[in-house]
Amino acid sequence: MFKTVLVANRGEIARRVLRACRALGVRSVAVYSEADAGWPHVTDADEAVLIGPAPARESYLNIERILEAARATRAEAIHPGYGFLSENWQFARACEEAGIAFIGPPWAVIRQMGEKVAARRLMATAGVPVVPGSDAPVKDLDEAQSTARAMGYPVMLKASGGGGGIGMARANDAGQLAQAFPTAQRRAQAAFGLADLYLERYLEEARHVEVQLFGDRDGAVVHLHERECSIQRRHQKLVEESPAPGLAPAVKLRLTAAAVAGATAVGYVNAGTMEFLVDRAGGFYFLEMNTRLQVEHPVTEEVTGLDLVQAQLRIAAGESLPWRQEEIRQRGAAIECRIYAEDPARNFMPSPGTITTLRLPGGEGIRVECGVAVGLAVSVHYDPLLAKLIARGQDREEALARMRQALAEFSVEGVKTTLPFLRAVVASERFTRGQVHTQLVEQGAFNG
Ligand code: MV4
């Protein structure tokens, strides 16, 4: 195992990784920006290095400053968390060139999966069903319209350079496609430095289900079951759970087998997630692969009893997978709610400010991953995720009851939060029955 690991992130995920380091007897190094002095992730670490001013570009996204901090503290490995540099293959390669282990997949795999249209092709070749659509970027609007006509409307226009919904647009007809195309191109170029767009058939009222995967350097790949993530706003997940309610066992078996086959085909190493859409008929379609630890990994930890971050560290240190597939059981149910500093009444606009009150819930089956503390200012510079609340139970009903109780106890003052919206979700009949799909939030199903 490594003696020293640097955590190139902030907030709750940095604290989560620091905790795994502590559990493994690894010395930990935090990095922080000028805006984050005194934040919990800084004080949690054995050592901390100031890497730059508040803007992420000059701190948490500054590859040179982070590598310098790693060298100065003799860190042998870097955990990137999620967001920031976690899926940046140039960063992963720069780590390798500096003789520092990147805690994630090989840089070439990150690059392959980062180009979404090429990833679709790769997965199709590996026998994974993909959403019907283009197998190469569409050159221009003309090509987009002829592809869409052949495929049938509605279609989804997506950016090849990166996933997660940025530059994504739905078009119901040729006119809407003409309208959306230049905007999507501009957004893709701005966000990813690549204007390439591709098309998919728009799958209506499907469910967003993802499979947690782990691979090692011997080529072994296992899955840690699935998560249901259909409750999103502006393509950010708000509620996730495992198991996916109502997913037929036969479909689940085929879905996880396809995910393992796909990951094996690309030589996947460390933690990764394959995202799918599942339609009402039980058909499932590959969307994209995320080559990082995900925000929602705790729900998988709660139902499997496994520590995903410790496993990431072990695999990066050269160990084989710590589990055989047969030992990875999905027991009970777990639900996660994300508490963001956003105003649900104003279309989830960020709500920066200073935290004046923070009351965290507790009790049997309740877990809180919190990155903030009273007196700290939530700035506009970073993702406004304050905390994650995870409830576990022997079954979904028990997990849900605990979640309702915990959300009632949870209190944050000083900023607006997603708490009222989350309370409405878990109180709704739709969610209680487990009948969720990707369009519920936009349809206003939880607006009380
Ligand atoms: C889709 C889709 C329907 N059809 N693609 C959103 C995030 C990104 N990872 C993939 N996403 C979607 N891709 C096709 N071809 C539906 C989603 C989607 C979604 C869309 C609108 C509103 C909420 C959503 C929640 C999850 C997934």
Side-chain angles (χ1 to χ4, degrees):
M1 182 46 61
F2 306 114
K3 277 213 273 300
T4 305
V5 168
L6 182 143
V7 182
N9 215 297
R10 64 185 301 282
E12 64 86 19
I13 193 59
R15 304 188 77 188
R16 170 71 190 88
V17 177
L18 292 168
R19 194 171 347 109
C21 290
R22 221 150 38 234
L24 291 171
V26 172
R27 184 176 148 259
S28 61
V29 179
V31 294
Y32 65 102
S33 70
E34 283 164 10
D36 284 348
W39 274 58
H41 73 274
V42 183
T43 46
D44 276 1
D46 293 323
E47 204 175 321
V49 182
L50 176 66
I51 50 167
R57 241 153 247 298
E58 300 172 55
S59 49
Y60 298 103
L61 287 171
N62 188 331
I63 293 177
E64 248 337 289
R65 295 305 294 270
I66 290 168
L67 289 177
E68 255 170 54
R71 280 189 288 260
T73 56
R74 299 181 190 288
E76 303 154 76
I78 297 180
H79 195 300
Y82 54 70
F84 293 130
L85 295 168
S86 60
E87 293 184 281
N88 182 318
W89 64 267
Q90 286 103 332
F91 177 61
R93 190 178 61 181
C95 288
E96 187 184 297
E97 284 166 0
I100 297 164
F102 175 81
I103 302 174
W107 64 264
V109 174
I110 301 176
R111 184 168 69 175
Q112 264 186 325
M113 292 298 112
E115 217 191 293
K116 301 301 172 183
V117 71
R120 275 168 53 81
R121 229 175 16 235
L122 261 166
M123 286 307 135
T125 308
V128 181
V130 302
V131 182
S134 40
D135 52 14
V138 287
K139 288 198 306 291
D140 49 28
L141 177 59
D142 258 10
E143 192 182 308
Q145 285 176 331
S146 58
T147 307
R149 197 172 333 108
M151 218 157 65
Y153 286 95
V155 297
M156 194 75 128
L157 190 57
K158 298 189 177 186
S160 188
I166 298 171
M168 210 166 96
R170 175 189 171 134
N172 295 327
D173 53 51
Q176 287 185 357
L177 187 53
Q179 181 114 66
F181 199 87
T183 314
Q185 223 169 18
R186 210 166 344 99
R187 291 208 177 128
Q189 179 66 42
F192 311 117
L194 182 72
D196 282 2
L197 301 176
Y198 65 104
L199 283 170
E200 283 177 1
R201 176 81 219 218
Y202 191 98
L203 299 186
E204 303 273 10
E205 302 193 348
R207 295 168 50 164
H208 194 271
V209 179
E210 59 187 28
V211 177
Q212 176 68 57
L213 297 157
F214 257 91
D216 68 18
R217 288 189 210 166
D218 309 324
V221 174
V222 294
H223 73 81
L224 281 73
H225 305 276
E226 84 288 3
R227 293 183 291 257
E228 150 67 49
C229 310
S230 294
I231 310 291
Q232 311 191 0
R233 55 95 188 98
R234 289 194 274 111
H235 304 305
Q236 282 265 43
K237 294 161 187 164
L238 280 174
V239 182
E240 306 97 344
E241 61 180 303
S242 186
L247 186 67
V251 175
K252 187 215 152 126
L253 219 61
R254 291 206 307 274
L255 180 74
T256 50
V260 169
T264 306
V266 297
Y268 202 83
V269 182
N270 219 298
T273 296
M274 222 174 266
E275 294 192 348
F276 295 90
L277 286 176
V278 180
D279 65 24
R280 261 179 288 205
F284 60 86
Y285 307 91
F286 170 82
L287 276 178
E288 59 184 89
M289 182 164 194
N290 301 316
T291 56
R292 59 169 192 276
L293 181 75
Q294 298 213 203
V295 178
E296 59 272 26
H297 75 276
V299 297
T300 297
E301 295 190 319
E302 293 305 317
V303 294
T304 60
L306 305 174
D307 190 308
L308 272 59
V309 184
Q310 288 186 35
Q312 282 195 294
L313 290 167
R314 289 185 188 286
I315 290 163
E319 293 181 31
S320 300
L321 277 174
W323 335 283
R324 282 175 295 125
Q325 185 68 67
E326 316 82 72
E327 338 177 291
I328 307 170
R329 296 276 163 67
Q330 190 180 32
R331 285 188 50 198
I335 307 170
E336 172 180 278
C337 286
R338 300 192 191 181
I339 294 95
Y340 284 96
E342 292 177 350
D343 187 355
R346 295 174 68 194
N347 194 29
F348 298 97
M349 288 296 285
S351 172
T354 298
I355 309 274
T356 54
T357 303
L358 184 65
R359 240 187 44 228
L360 303 180
E364 176 85 16
I366 293 298
R367 167 174 170 187
V368 181
E369 298 284 339
C370 182
V372 299
V374 168
L376 296 176
V378 180
S379 85
V380 292
H381 292 290
Y382 313 117
D383 182 82
L385 181 65
L386 303 176
K388 305 185 303 206
L389 171 60
I390 304 101
R392 168 179 44 78
Q394 288 180 335
D395 51 29
R396 189 172 188 268
E397 200 176 285
E398 187 175 47
L400 190 50
R402 286 174 176 168
M403 179 60 85
R404 289 192 184 114
Q405 169 78 26
L407 282 170
E409 288 172 24
F410 211 130
S411 148
V412 182
E413 281 167 35
V415 296
K416 294 267 198 275
T417 73
T418 48
L419 277 166
F421 183 83
L422 295 165
R423 291 184 191 117
V425 170
V426 299
S428 73
E429 206 177 299
R430 240 2 234 270
F431 188 82
T432 302
R433 285 208 225 110
Q435 290 172 351
V436 293
H437 62 72
T438 56
Q439 281 158 285
L440 282 180
V441 176
E442 68 193 46
Q443 289 170 1
F446 310 116
N447 293 354

